[in-house]
Amino acid sequence: MQPFERIVTGYGPVVLRVCRAVLGSEDADDAWSETFLAALKAYPELPADANVEAWLVTIAHRKAIDVTRANARRPLPVEETPEHPSRTGRPQDWDGDLWDALKALPPKQRSAVAYHYLAGLPYKEIAGITGGSTDAARRAAADGIRTLRCTYPRTTDEAGATP
């Protein structure tokens, strides 16, 4: 096996091109670094006959996808935080329409959204509570959030109607 330093020198440009192709130039350097950190950890177990370039490109692609997913979850900056005053002055009444939107979700989606986003439980625990798989809990929460984004009014006028 060749020293890892030669691996980085020899395949670094290829990995960087893959990262740039998937992410663009802004996030490519971070994905490149993450690729070689992951590769360094796994390199001692790599079979001697393995295709190192293909192995690194696979890691780079996965790290680029991780960066893309992380970027999608980051909040977007806004000039001002919107105000949503309570109609009655009681905090529990502030999001009455949100509670109605949650009630309209199918039971599995409602449970997954509540357990994950309101209670902070991981999907594995949600699966144990609801009797499904971890992937099913993750999917139900994602579907529920997608539905809420489409149905929950973001702003209302004084009469309570959405613009």
Side-chain angles (χ1 to χ4, degrees), residues 5-82:
E5 183 177 301
R6 283 193 194 149
I7 300 292
V8 175
T9 304
Y11 297 105
V14 172
V15 170
L16 187 58
R17 283 194 300 270
V18 169
C19 294
R20 283 184 178 157
V22 175
L23 297 170
S25 59
E26 286 183 21
D27 294 320
D29 291 338
D30 290 339
W32 184 91
S33 298
E34 290 294 323
T35 297
F36 282 105
L37 284 173
L40 178 62
K41 292 177 186 174
Y43 186 63
E45 282 80 38
L46 188 67
D49 63 340
N51 181 338
V52 176
E53 183 176 29
W55 176 67
L56 286 170
V57 167
T58 300
I59 295 171
H61 178 72
R62 290 180 181 154
K63 292 300 178 181
I65 289 171
D66 290 346
V67 169
T68 301
R69 288 178 179 155
N71 287 344
R73 290 188 296 263
R74 286 197 181 100
L76 297 175
V78 295
E79 288 185 30
E80 291 184 35
T81 305

Side-chain angles (χ1 to χ4, degrees), residues 42-135:
Y43 186 63
E45 282 80 38
L46 188 67
D49 63 340
N51 181 338
V52 176
E53 183 176 29
W55 176 67
L56 286 170
V57 167
T58 300
I59 295 171
H61 178 72
R62 290 180 181 154
K63 292 300 178 181
I65 289 171
D66 290 346
V67 169
T68 301
R69 288 178 179 155
N71 287 344
R73 290 188 296 263
R74 286 197 181 100
L76 297 175
V78 295
E79 288 185 30
E80 291 184 35
T81 305
E83 291 292 326
H84 297 285
S86 166
R87 293 184 190 118
T88 64
R90 294 179 295 181
Q92 66 269 27
D93 292 343
W94 180 77
D95 275 337
D97 49 348
L98 175 59
W99 299 119
D100 291 340
L102 278 168
K103 284 183 212 173
L105 291 175
K108 287 194 181 221
Q109 288 180 14
R110 183 173 54 244
S111 296
V113 167
Y115 292 147
H116 186 70
Y117 293 98
L118 300 178
L121 295 178
Y123 294 116
K124 185 176 182 178
E125 288 184 31
I126 296 168
I129 293 169
T130 60
S133 68
T134 303
D135 289 338

